[in-house]
Amino acid sequence: MEDAVVQERVSPRAGGLPAGASYAELHDAFLRHTPSDLADILLRLATQLRSGRYPAGRPYRHVNGFTKIVISEQAAARLTLHYWPAAPGAPDDISRPHDHRFAFSSILLGGSQRFVELAETGDSGAERWRSFEYRPYLRGRIATVTTRGTVGLQPFRTVDRAPLEGYYRTSATVVHQAVTNRAEACVTLVLRGPRERRTSRVYYRPTEPSPRGGLQFGRRIDHDEVVRQVDHAHTLVTTM
């Protein structure tokens, strides 16, 4: 099945978003999605995958532990499904502190997750982190990494989430960590806006090896496993 899969561009309507709209309009439409709308989006995605088509690029395992599946992409926005597989007995998955080159909003479809937002500070009591600037090229296949120095990070807000209740929204300037419980699978639907700058920041503890630039490879996911994950996301939405 792997060799038969093709990548194709599809109408943004395939992701439930009106074509040719601004990010503000797309964001409003995203937040109006009902559980039934979300289920329809996932069902269409699963149908496309079963027919051997990827809507907008091959899914891959992101460095932060989730499967990333692009559902729809246009100039003003990108809609993606993020799926963290269950790992009973494993500790919470805590991403490195980071920001983004764009604003985004996220709906929790199932599982347990919260966000911790942090700010750089000169307070001597704050935990120390090494800060790096990340600049991708060629749709993220190549990146440069520049050291910014050591800074303190201080948490200032925690955002708890509940499946299909509200959404998490952040700007391109907020540093945060996603804390994902691994007792069961966790699934989010994410709408990101247009790129606002060329670089983003990521923070490593002083004892961790430095990130490397050059070629960036997300781990490939078996096609059948991607289908199973999308099916499970659909089940979560329809049985909540």
Side-chain angles (χ1 to χ4, degrees):
M1 183 63 181
E2 187 73 23
D3 293 337
V5 174
V6 299
Q7 300 176 19
E8 64 172 22
R9 294 291 180 185
V10 298
S11 165
R13 285 300 304 170
L17 301 176
S22 68
Y23 177 62
E25 292 169 326
L26 293 169
H27 189 265
D28 287 345
F30 177 70
L31 298 185
R32 288 196 300 270
H33 283 330
T34 65
S36 178
D37 295 330
L38 297 171
D40 287 346
I41 290 171
L42 295 170
L43 183 59
R44 287 196 295 268
L45 175 60
T47 300
Q48 288 175 320
L49 293 172
R50 281 193 169 84
S51 68
R53 301 194 307 274
Y54 288 135
R58 185 180 293 274
Y60 65 93
R61 180 63 52 79
H62 191 276
V63 66
N64 284 336
F66 57 84
T67 302
K68 184 174 182 177
I69 307 169
V70 180
I71 299 174
S72 176
E73 186 168 19
Q74 53 183 293
R78 176 189 292 171
L79 186 68
T80 60
L81 185 72
H82 295 178
Y83 185 100
W84 286 259
D92 287 351
D93 185 279
I94 305 175
S95 69
R96 290 189 177 93
H98 63 281
D99 65 9
H100 295 268
R101 297 175 297 148
F102 42 78
F104 75 85
S105 289
S106 168
I107 298 173
L108 180 63
L109 304 183
S112 177
Q113 185 181 72
R114 67 183 185 275
F115 280 97
V116 178
E117 297 181 343
L118 310 99
E120 291 190 5
T121 177
D123 187 341
S124 60
E127 184 175 2
R128 308 301 290 175
W129 295 80
R130 290 185 301 148
S131 176
F132 297 88
E133 188 173 76
Y134 169 83
R135 181 171 180 173
Y137 299 86
L138 300 176
R139 297 180 63 83
R141 290 191 291 272
I142 298 176
T144 60
V145 177
T146 305
T147 303
R148 297 179 63 240
T150 301
V151 300
L153 285 180
Q154 185 70 49
F156 67 88
R157 187 169 82 118
T158 298
V159 182
D160 293 312
R161 316 182 70 188
L164 300 178
E165 292 186 14
Y167 62 98
Y168 173 72
R169 185 175 189 176
T170 190
S171 72
T173 61
V174 172
V175 175
H176 64 190
Q177 291 176 288
V179 182
T180 307
N181 186 280
R182 303 302 305 279
E184 56 185 349
C186 180
V187 191
T188 64
L189 188 68
V190 178
L191 181 74
R192 53 154 282 190
R195 187 180 64 211
E196 299 179 19
R197 63 177 193 272
R198 293 291 307 175
T199 63
S200 60
R201 292 171 294 172
V202 62
Y203 299 81
Y204 283 63
R205 287 188 167 87
T207 56
E208 293 180 309
S210 299
R212 294 186 298 177
L215 291 173
Q216 307 290 301
F217 296 105
R219 185 166 67 84
R220 275 194 175 188
I221 307 296
D222 177 77
H223 176 75
D224 291 340
E225 177 61 21
V226 174
V227 174
R228 284 193 293 270
Q229 292 179 0
V230 174
D231 283 343
H232 186 216
H234 180 264
T235 298
L236 289 173
V237 171
T238 55
T239 59
M240 189 64 59

